[in-house]
Amino acid sequence: MSTLRFKAIEETFNRRSLNIEEPGRRSAIFGSNVFNESVMKQYLTKEAYNNVMDAVKTGAKINRTVADHISAGMKEWAINKGVTHYTHWFQPLTGATAEKHDAFFETIGEGLAIEKFGGGSLVQQEPDASSFPNGGIRNTFEARGYTAWDPTSPAFIWGTTLCIPTVFVSYTGEALDYKTPLLRALQAVDQAATDVAKYFDKNVTKVNATLGWEQEYFLIDSALAATRPDIQLAGRTLLGHSPAKGQQLDDHYFGSIPSRVLAYMRDLEIECMRLGIPVKTRHNEVAPNQFELAPIFEEANLAVDHNSLIMDVMNKVAERHHFVVLMHEKPFAGINGSGKHNNWSLGTDTGVNLLSPGKTPMKNLQFLTFFINTIKAVYENEELLRASIASASNDHRLGANEAPPAIISVFIGSQLTSVLDELEKVTSGKLSPQEKTDLKLNVVGKIPEILLDNTDRNRTSPFAFTGNKFEFRAVGSTANCANPMTVLNAIMAKQLKEFKAEVDKLIKDKKMKKDDAIFNVLREYIKQSKKIRFEGDGYGEAWEKEAAKRGLSNNKTTPEALKVQVSKKAIKLYGDLGVMNKVEIEARHEIELEEYTMRVQIEGRVLGDIARNHVIPTAIRYQNILIKNVTGLKSIYGDNYEKHAKEQLELIESVSTHIAVINSKVNAMIEARKVANKLEDIQKKAESYCNEVKPHFDEIRYHCDKLELLVDNELWPLTKYRELLFTR
């Protein structure tokens, strides 16, 4: 195995950057493989085009006759671009994307064939898909599942396949994917936010949630990755001693991008341009061999699809460059992990960002309304928001190396804090003319000036306001953005509905003017949600103690965090909004617990295999070399040999001790797994894996890593951290 390691290192050193030819201006190829509005105008009849646009903007249904026209135009466009197959592209509850390819090809008898793609094939398919997680919604022998076209996310071409974004539902209508609840949540927040926005502008008829994600990732040479069973099977290193140099010099962050990596990034960006993914930013991240890319903001549903698509494209492009992309939240111990910051806001169809201040007090009152309601929504549902980013892999990241802690809090900066403190003092009831004037001129009116210089930033905040949006920093790098976006938009919809009801009640019952009613409700919200706001450092016991005093949750593990998903409060929230019913909620809860259990189980089996089949045999081999050396010294020096073999004897004893502990701990871990596997209750099983199985990982790793320092480097079989992180 050590031979494999050194061959891989040699192969990596001999790599050369691929020559990537730029296809002219990026703007010229943007969306060239997307069935977007401009393409539809060319290939569809006016009636078909208008029908699609109505479906996108108002949710109108597309009738079968028009669907036939759309599919014919889509097929013609795709075939002209060399496409041979089509697929309904969906996002099942595995976290990955799914596709089943069908050829346009159909036989018509007499040895003849045609290219065929009807409206029925476009709008709906039955892919079976019985093996995807369903949480008990359907039996394997009753496996009918349907994919249905989502016209709000345009079809695209990847390779020679036309990909049609779809939802995935069961025969009885329950959602079996991430997209369906997201679309429902987006519809709910649209309705609720539009109703509130009309307080400030009667012309608003639609509000879109927007999302700008930031994707962090590691790039490792494929030859080096192939020498590590843990990277291949678990997506992260389960052992490995920290190198002498890691990220402590901060010399990688925003540094010069390595040439091979830059070639990969350029290749990836060109593919993104063709797919209509508006990638704009690229840079080195903090940890060695860690990088980031980020696009321009888009409507949330499309942004979620683009992120799911780009994770797949990243892996495919990486193969051409002999890289492996590590999306895991914590692939290497002791250095920064990877997140997927979700930058979220709300925008009207009149072109206004509702979380951006304006030039007038009225625009700023609108900003404060949505700003304060967001804080209140997070406060009322912080556990549900925490559950939305829970996973076995993100558990390793949260609270480590600058990542946000598991405690959900909101950071808004000292200047906006002072604004809310002023608003908290608003008199109950109708405002006096003097108070209203002071408020609008001295507090609300000055918000643009405040935000102009608001450069405060808190890297440890899981949910931070950053000028014209909120950044949900706790989302993990492997996550499907749909999960946190479904929760965030759902809780915001609920909050805005409650806000409007309270304001309308004051206007009707107390005869208050609209502004007075809004200020009164906002004042109470500021008081009620004050506990969620935190401006300090999110690390350490001090904040944990303070958070406990405030009554904030601190669910550090996934089994603990996921419990809230099936609470009466959560079931009512989703049910009232029509986002998910009780069956769908309980199914997802079961699926996420099962996934957690299986991931920890896989890691335990991989770690046990590496420890016993790689580490221990190598240590014994090295020990035998030492024993042979001691035997030689004894033959030379006789009874006096111990004076000359002291260090060797200590090494032999030390190696023996580590081998014994590793073997013992692996046995203990296996026994703990056996106990956990017998548990029928999925919650208890996940907790057992978390609390009884997983703790053995660190103990086994500690002794394996100690052996890495003791054993001859020439013998060690596993590629070391310094080679994985610094060989480029």
Side-chain angles (χ1 to χ4, degrees):
M1 279 297 293
S2 59
T3 305
L4 177 63
R5 171 188 158 209
F6 289 116
K7 280 184 177 178
I9 294 169
E10 183 181 5
E11 192 173 335
T12 304
F13 276 131
N14 291 329
R15 303 278 197 213
R16 293 294 177 267
S17 302
L18 292 187
N19 182 33
I20 306 300
E21 292 186 16
E22 290 283 350
R25 293 188 178 185
R26 298 284 178 92
S27 58
I29 63 167
F30 183 73
S32 58
N33 282 348
V34 180
F35 196 67
N36 51 32
E37 288 186 41
S38 63
V39 175
M40 282 192 275
K41 286 179 179 178
Q42 296 176 48
Y43 283 87
L44 301 186
T45 63
K46 188 174 182 180
E47 180 191 6
Y49 172 79
N50 289 335
N51 202 172
V52 175
M53 289 298 99
D54 286 343
V56 172
K57 293 174 182 176
T58 66
K61 289 190 176 181
I62 296 174
N63 66 55
R64 179 59 184 266
T65 304
V66 174
D68 285 335
H69 287 301
I70 297 168
S71 62
M74 198 181 284
K75 180 195 72 176
E76 190 65 25
W77 168 74
I79 288 175
N80 286 343
K81 296 182 76 68
V83 169
T84 59
H85 288 68
Y86 65 92
T87 182
H88 275 199
W89 182 82
F90 58 101
Q91 300 167 49
L93 297 172
T94 57
T97 58
E99 53 197 64
K100 183 189 78 171
H101 298 195
D102 286 301
F104 288 133
F105 175 84
E106 291 279 348
T107 57
I108 57 173
E110 299 181 4
L112 300 175
I114 59 170
E115 273 79 26
K116 185 178 179 182
F117 179 55
S121 298
L122 167 65
V123 173
Q124 181 177 301
Q125 279 195 326
E126 184 188 341
D128 179 7
S130 57
S131 294
F132 286 122
N134 63 77
I137 286 177
R138 56 193 186 141
N139 295 310
T140 303
F141 58 86
E142 297 170 328
R144 295 181 78 179
Y146 293 95
T147 50
W149 178 35
D150 171 21
T152 63
S153 183
F156 58 90
I157 293 170
W158 177 249
T160 58
T161 304
L162 172 67
C163 301
I164 303 158
T166 59
V167 298
F168 179 43
V169 296
S170 71
Y171 177 71
T172 47
E174 286 90 5
L176 296 170
D177 64 346
Y178 285 110
K179 181 185 274 278
T180 304
L182 174 65
L183 290 173
R184 294 169 182 167
L186 292 174
Q187 185 178 22
V189 81
D190 169 19
Q191 294 170 350
T194 298
D195 288 343
V196 173
K198 284 182 181 292
Y199 282 144
F200 309 98
D201 183 355
K202 297 291 184 184
N203 295 316
V204 174
T205 59
K206 185 174 178 59
V207 172
N208 284 320
T210 60
L211 169 64
W213 41 264
E214 303 167 25
Q215 182 71 58
E216 295 177 337
Y217 61 99
F218 284 80
L219 279 180
I220 305 298
D221 188 275
S222 56
L224 298 179
T227 69
R228 297 284 310 218
D230 45 2
I231 290 178
Q232 289 179 310
L233 299 177
R236 74 178 181 106
T237 56
L238 297 173
L239 48 80
H241 200 281
S242 297
K245 178 180 182 290
Q247 66 184 48
Q248 61 266 50
L249 296 178
D250 294 326
D251 53 342
H252 189 258
Y253 190 49
F254 279 19
S256 177
I257 301 173
S259 58
R260 277 184 67 201
V261 175
L262 187 58
Y264 165 76
M265 289 178 168
R266 290 173 59 204
D267 198 1
L268 175 64
E269 287 168 359
I270 291 168
E271 295 288 2
C272 287
M273 290 298 106
R274 294 192 177 109
L275 291 166
I277 305 173
V279 170
K280 187 175 178 68
T281 303
R282 66 191 185 199
H283 63 84
N284 287 4
E285 254 301 332
V286 176
N289 273 352
Q290 186 187 32
F291 309 95
E292 180 180 300
L293 61 86
I296 297 169
F297 279 58
E298 298 179 284
E299 184 275 322
N301 179 47
L302 182 58
V304 167
D305 278 3
H306 278 166
N307 182 250
S308 296
L309 175 58
I310 204 173
M311 288 195 288
D312 190 27
V313 174
M314 286 171 74
N315 287 320
K316 289 175 179 175
V317 173
E319 291 176 11
R320 299 201 286 255
H321 295 258
H322 302 289
F323 279 128
V324 168
V325 182
L326 299 186
M327 296 280 188
H328 194 286
E329 282 79 357
K330 198 74 174 176
F332 300 99
I335 61 174
N336 275 23
S338 297
K340 193 192 323 256
H341 306 162
N342 277 209
N343 295 278
W344 170 88
S345 190
L346 295 170
T348 69
D349 58 350
T350 58
V352 174
N353 179 352
L354 295 171
L355 286 173
S356 183
K359 295 179 180 179
T360 66
M362 179 57 74
K363 289 293 183 185
N364 292 331
L365 181 55
Q366 176 179 267
F367 157 71
L368 283 170
T369 295
F370 286 90
F371 176 70
I372 293 166
N373 270 284
T374 304
I375 296 171
K376 178 74 159 38
V378 173
Y379 172 67
E380 295 291 347
N381 302 278
E382 45 98 6
E383 280 197 277
L384 200 56
L385 208 56
R386 164 67 180 96
S388 76
I389 49 96
S391 69
S393 50
N394 209 20
D395 281 357
H396 292 285
R397 166 180 166 257
L398 294 179
N401 295 93
E402 290 193 8
I407 304 164
I408 298 295
S409 63
V410 178
F411 172 83
I412 63 172
S414 58
Q415 292 149 319
L416 277 172
T417 296
S418 66
V419 170
L420 297 196
D421 289 344
E422 287 295 319
L423 289 175
E424 193 178 336
K425 300 171 188 174
V426 172
T427 304
S428 179
K430 296 178 181 179
L431 277 64
S432 68
Q434 178 64 40
E435 186 176 26
K436 190 176 287 189
T437 301
D438 288 346
L439 194 65
K440 287 192 173 180
L441 292 180
N442 299 325
V443 180
V444 180
K446 291 185 177 180
I447 288 175
E449 299 168 31
I450 290 170
L451 291 185
L452 192 65
D453 297 319
N454 184 16
T455 55
D456 289 352
R457 186 167 174 83
N458 189 336
R459 295 181 62 85
T460 66
S461 173
F463 200 86
F465 184 69
T466 56
N468 60 359
K469 61 190 182 298
F470 278 96
E471 182 180 20
F472 193 8
R473 296 180 56 85
V475 182
S477 51
T478 59
N480 185 311
C481 295
N483 222 12
M485 284 297 103
T486 297
V487 173
L488 182 53
N489 286 292
I491 65 175
M492 191 61 177
K494 174 181 179 290
Q495 180 57 48
L496 290 172
K497 284 166 70 80
E498 291 177 354
F499 171 77
K500 187 173 188 304
E502 290 185 52
V503 170
D504 288 350
K505 193 172 189 301
L506 289 178
I507 293 171
K508 182 182 177 182
D509 297 349
K510 302 292 184 181
K511 308 301 179 187
M512 282 190 192
K513 289 186 177 180
K514 181 186 67 179
D515 287 7
D516 289 357
I518 289 172
F519 275 122
N520 271 265
V521 176
L522 291 181
R523 179 200 62 221
E524 294 307 308
Y525 284 0
I526 292 168
K527 291 177 182 177
Q528 293 165 12
S529 62
K530 203 168 185 176
K531 292 177 181 177
I532 201 73
R533 286 169 20 216
F534 178 62
E535 304 301 308
D537 189 345
Y539 288 119
E541 293 182 10
W543 169 228
E544 290 194 13
K545 289 179 181 177
E546 173 61 23
K549 285 181 186 177
R550 297 185 185 193
L552 301 179
S553 66
N554 185 11
N555 298 322
K556 294 185 177 182
T557 68
T558 291
E560 192 178 2
L562 292 179
K563 287 179 182 178
V564 71
Q565 289 181 325
V566 288
S567 65
K568 289 181 180 178
K569 180 180 176 182
I571 291 171
K572 186 176 188 310
L573 183 150
Y574 290 133
D576 289 349
L577 294 172
V579 172
M580 283 187 283
N581 60 34
K582 191 170 185 285
V583 171
E584 291 170 319
I585 293 165
E586 290 176 343
R588 277 157 204 276
H589 178 64
E590 182 178 320
I591 288 166
E592 291 188 36
L593 283 173
E594 282 183 345
E595 183 185 2
Y596 176 86
T597 299
M598 287 187 287
R599 290 199 179 276
V600 177
Q601 183 186 74
I602 289 168
E603 288 192 352
R605 295 167 90 172
V606 173
L607 180 58
D609 171 59
I610 295 174
R612 282 190 161 161
N613 294 322
H614 295 71
V615 174
I616 289 178
T618 303
I620 291 172
R621 187 177 168 194
Y622 178 59
Q623 195 177 45
N624 287 336
I625 293 172
L626 292 174
I627 291 169
K628 188 175 181 181
N629 178 261
V630 170
T631 303
L633 289 172
K634 188 174 183 180
S635 67
I636 295 171
Y637 295 105
D639 294 340
N640 242 0
Y641 81 97
E642 288 190 19
K643 182 175 73 171
H644 302 282
K646 181 182 177 184
E647 286 75 15
Q648 291 93 321
L649 290 168
E650 288 175 354
L651 266 174
I652 291 168
E653 186 175 350
S654 184
V655 169
S656 292
T657 300
H658 290 304
I659 289 172
V661 175
I662 291 169
N663 197 51
S664 170
K665 295 299 179 184
V666 169
N667 285 334
M669 177 184 67
I670 291 170
E671 291 305 311
R673 280 211 314 265
K674 289 178 180 177
V675 172
N677 289 338
K678 291 177 182 177
L679 298 173
E680 297 291 333
D681 185 284
I682 188 66
Q683 178 71 40
K684 290 179 179 177
K685 190 173 185 177
E687 288 173 355
S688 183
Y689 264 94
C690 178
N691 302 321
E692 305 300 330
V693 177
K694 196 176 162 196
H696 292 294
F697 292 7
D698 289 339
E699 295 176 299
I700 295 167
R701 175 177 192 146
Y702 173 83
H703 292 279
C704 288
D705 289 354
K706 286 296 181 183
L707 283 175
E708 183 184 321
L709 290 179
L710 295 177
V711 171
D712 183 355
N713 181 61
E714 295 292 318
L715 299 178
W716 195 253
L718 302 168
T719 304
K720 298 187 176 184
Y721 266 31
R722 68 169 184 268
E723 295 151 356
L724 291 168
L725 292 170
F726 293 99
T727 307
R728 294 166 186 166

